[in-house]
Amino acid sequence: MLPDGSRLHVVIPDITRRHWSVNIRKFVLSAGSLDELVGLGTLTAQAARFLEAAVVAGLNIIVAGGTQAGKTTLLNALAGAIPGRERVITCEEVFELAQAGLHQTWPGSWRWTTSCSH
């Protein structure tokens, strides 16, 4: 992560076929709540209220989309609607969710074990 919040991503051969691939991901939209997304014209007020009610009710919500589609921005706004009494744990390779009170861990710090039994 760069000082301005941008993310540097580098891929080198043998992962790429021939050349290095360097990508700097800049975040252009910052919205910390569903209301801010409504104000920006990203969501309708009705959609924001529906999503907020779904979060408060503890329903499952799937957020999917292409690169730079706004998935992280929407997840941050949804996380802002999580009631304070709830325990939230995120598992992120790169910490992008920015809501206070989230307990974040990096998968690289996990110890994986496998076992098989018949």
Side-chain angles (χ1 to χ4, degrees), residues 11 13 19 21 37 39 43 46 54 56 75 83 103 110 112 118:
V11 183
H19 304 286
S21 172
L37 290 177
L43 287 176
Q46 182 181 10
V56 170
L75 284 171
H103 302 280
W110 302 346
W112 295 96
H118 297 287

Side-chain angles (χ1 to χ4, degrees), residues 88-95 102-110:
V88 178
I89 299 172
T90 70
C91 300
E92 304 177 62
E93 187 173 0
V94 176
F95 296 130
L102 296 180
H103 302 280
Q104 296 173 308
T105 185
W106 180 65
S109 66
W110 302 346

